[in-house]
Amino acid sequence: MKNIIYNPLTATPFKRNISYAEISPCEALAPYICCYWGTESPFVQIGDESELVIPDTCVDIIYDIDYTNNTVNGGFCGINDCSFSTDNSRSSGHIVSVFAIRFYAWGAYAFADDSLKSTLNGYFDVGASFRWLDKIIRPKLSELKSLQEKVCFVQQVLLKKLSDVRVNTVIDDTIRNLLINKGSIDVSELAKESFVSARQLERLFNEYIGITPKKLSNLIRYQFVWHDILCEQDFDVLNAVYKYGYADQSHLLREFKRYHGVDMHKAKMIAFEDVANIQEVFEKA
């Protein structure tokens, strides 16, 4: 799978603090992994903090490490087609850390044990779909204190597996088309260009990704719009309607709110909350 530049964004893409940092994958794993994320180092959990999670076309393997209780709990979050708020249930006063792998939704199947069917909007034990990986990394995570140490270890494990990953050329070719067209392409056209029927393409997507081609197409388009909202100082809704093939302005606004959970104005407020210099954000975009 060749990497195509695509940077899906979370609801708070500029957030960086003691409880959240990101590290990019190495070049060989970049087609499969969006980033590694978690806490830079263990810290004392103080209170609960709920956060908005939006459909970012990614899936996550997330480990919660509690050094006070000496426990490591791992979960797999399948692709989402709706927003939700996190329920932070970590014990206040405990020394904890988090480590996670954020796969592109179409990249995770390469490393999965089996089908990712029926994982849409679901949260499962890591071992349900990634038993081989869980058996190797879960016992080591509490020993590796920093995020960088965890990434180095896990990345080597994934690189060793790279020569033996699952491959499906129809999925790869269709995803490439979706990204090139920024989600603005009809499913029948996708199927035609991949030389399969629309029904067969839908079956493959459900099997390998856990979502239909149509839903994924809409989510990719929504993500491109979200990127423009945050990174274009003169963002214009009508231009976006034309650029991404929406029926009209109401269609775009309605679909954005359906996926994001809030309107564009509120979404931007959440995204830029606690960002010291918004001008720097635009300059780096």
Side-chain angles (χ1 to χ4, degrees):
M1 181 192 297
K2 293 182 179 179
N3 193 25
I4 296 175
I5 296 175
Y6 172 67
N7 299 307
L9 301 176
T10 64
T12 54
F14 313 117
K15 174 186 175 182
R16 300 292 185 273
N17 57 33
I18 188 173
S19 65
Y20 186 87
E22 293 180 0
I23 295 179
S24 298
C26 64
E27 184 177 356
L29 292 172
Y32 309 92
I33 297 173
C34 180
C35 70
Y36 304 95
W37 61 270
T39 52
E40 290 278 14
S41 56
F43 69 102
V44 178
Q45 178 70 39
I46 302 175
D48 295 335
E49 182 182 350
S50 179
E51 295 186 4
L52 176 65
V53 178
I54 61 172
D56 59 3
T57 65
C58 292
V59 300
D60 296 77
I61 291 177
I62 306 171
Y63 286 98
D64 288 299
I65 305 153
D66 189 322
Y67 298 94
T68 302
N69 285 343
N70 194 30
T71 58
V72 180
N73 295 314
F76 170 66
C77 183
I79 187 171
N80 292 292
D81 66 354
C82 59
S83 62
F84 63 93
S85 295
T86 59
D87 178 20
N88 191 338
S89 58
R90 300 186 193 98
S91 301
S92 181
H94 285 211
I95 299 174
V96 299
S97 70
V98 177
F99 172 73
I101 310 168
R102 180 173 293 148
F103 290 97
Y104 295 109
W106 48 87
Y109 82 82
F111 298 93
D113 295 317
D114 203 352
S115 169
L116 293 179
K117 188 176 181 179
S118 301
T119 56
L120 178 66
N121 298 324
Y123 191 78
F124 314 88
D125 184 83
V126 178
S129 297
F130 300 88
R131 182 174 288 105
W132 75 270
L133 181 61
D134 187 51
K135 286 175 63 177
I136 296 173
I137 68 176
R138 190 190 292 244
K140 295 286 293 184
L141 289 176
S142 59
E143 302 173 18
L144 304 167
K145 300 303 181 184
S146 72
L147 179 60
Q148 185 64 60
E149 288 177 307
K150 293 181 177 73
V151 169
C152 287
F153 172 71
V154 172
Q155 193 149 253
Q156 289 305 310
V157 173
L158 293 173
L159 284 170
K160 288 180 181 178
K161 182 73 171 179
L162 201 53
S163 61
D164 190 36
V165 296
R166 300 169 70 206
V167 177
N168 186 290
T169 55
V170 172
I171 293 290
D172 292 348
D173 290 345
T174 305
I175 292 298
R176 189 175 295 108
N177 270 332
L178 277 174
L179 296 180
I180 289 173
N181 289 280
K182 300 180 179 180
S184 302
I185 183 171
D186 188 73
V187 173
S188 60
E189 185 65 26
L190 282 172
K192 181 180 178 181
E193 293 190 14
S194 296
F195 303 101
V196 295
S197 67
R199 177 177 290 186
Q200 185 178 358
L201 187 63
E202 183 166 329
R203 181 185 63 78
L204 287 171
F205 265 61
N206 279 318
E207 179 79 12
Y208 284 84
I209 306 176
I211 194 171
T212 66
K214 178 62 175 177
K215 282 187 177 181
L216 183 59
S217 177
N218 287 340
L219 291 176
I220 288 173
R221 179 170 65 170
Y222 151 75
Q223 270 292 325
F224 274 104
V225 172
W226 179 223
H227 184 277
D228 287 356
I229 290 170
L230 293 182
C231 299
E232 293 181 2
Q233 295 191 62
D234 57 349
F235 174 78
D236 183 86
V237 175
L238 291 177
N239 286 342
V241 168
Y242 174 77
K243 182 178 179 180
Y244 296 110
Y246 287 91
D248 51 35
Q249 181 173 322
S250 295
H251 179 205
L252 188 155
L253 295 176
R254 185 172 60 252
E255 186 166 285
F256 180 88
K257 188 171 183 179
R258 176 159 62 91
Y259 289 139
H260 213 96
V262 297
D263 61 28
M264 290 183 183
H265 177 70
K266 179 64 175 178
K268 286 186 70 173
M269 287 180 60
I270 294 170
F272 288 118
E273 190 175 12
D274 299 326
V275 176
N277 191 335
I278 293 178
Q279 184 62 36
E280 285 187 9
V281 172
F282 287 120
E283 290 173 354
K284 292 177 181 178

